Amino acid sequence: MKIFLKGKKIWGYVNGILGELEDKKTENYADLLDVWEANNSKIITWVNNSVEHSIGTQLAKYETAKEVWDHLAILYTQSNFSKQYQLEYDIRALEQKSMSIQEFYYAMTDL
């Protein structure tokens, strides 16, 4: 989704760079607001169409793409210290021994 939104040049709506216009005195405010609202709505729709229905219903309470994205980030971000420990242990324990440099490189990148 991130790559898709960057390709559409609207990732700024999600990361907060392109927030809703606040200064109503801005020239062409109405036109700029229409563009912002349309893009914001597109992103929310795309995200809703990309998630399970049960998750989409949770997103209905949010009005901006940033709020939706932040909610999903919290929902899906979890720390797994035991997995992290195991990976770090495996990386430290890996030795080249009889592997070629290319095989060793692949083993490291797999970890």
Side-chain angles (χ1 to χ4, degrees):
M1 182 62 69
K2 182 177 180 179
I3 293 168
F4 175 75
L5 295 174
K6 283 184 173 188
K8 295 285 186 182
K9 298 183 181 180
I10 53 178
W11 175 245
Y13 289 80
V14 173
N15 69 11
I17 291 174
L18 295 174
E20 192 171 0
L21 298 173
E22 295 179 9
D23 186 5
K24 294 181 180 183
K25 296 177 185 177
T26 303
E27 188 177 331
N28 300 329
Y29 174 78
D31 294 333
L32 294 172
L33 183 61
D34 283 344
V35 169
W36 187 91
E37 288 177 341
N39 286 331
N40 184 66
S41 296
K42 285 178 195 176
I43 295 168
I44 292 172
T45 301
W46 289 328
V47 170
N48 272 323
N49 289 337
S50 301
V51 297
E52 293 288 328
H53 177 73
S54 60
I55 296 170
T57 57
Q58 295 176 27
L59 304 178
K61 62 185 171 187
Y62 299 111
E63 294 184 18
T64 68
K66 179 166 180 20
E67 291 173 325
V68 168
W69 194 267
D70 290 347
H71 174 78
L72 291 173
I74 290 168
L75 187 65
Y76 288 105
T77 301
Q78 39 181 298
S79 57
N80 188 339
F81 292 113
S82 61
K83 179 68 174 172
Q84 181 180 347
Y85 173 81
Q86 185 63 49
L87 285 171
E88 289 174 358
Y89 177 83
D90 291 345
I91 288 170
R92 283 191 297 274
L94 185 63
E95 295 178 1
Q96 185 176 355
K97 295 186 180 179
S98 63
M99 288 188 272
S100 70
I101 291 177
Q102 188 172 11
E103 290 170 331
F104 184 69
Y105 172 78
Y106 289 144
M108 285 295 278
T109 56
D110 283 346
L111 290 174

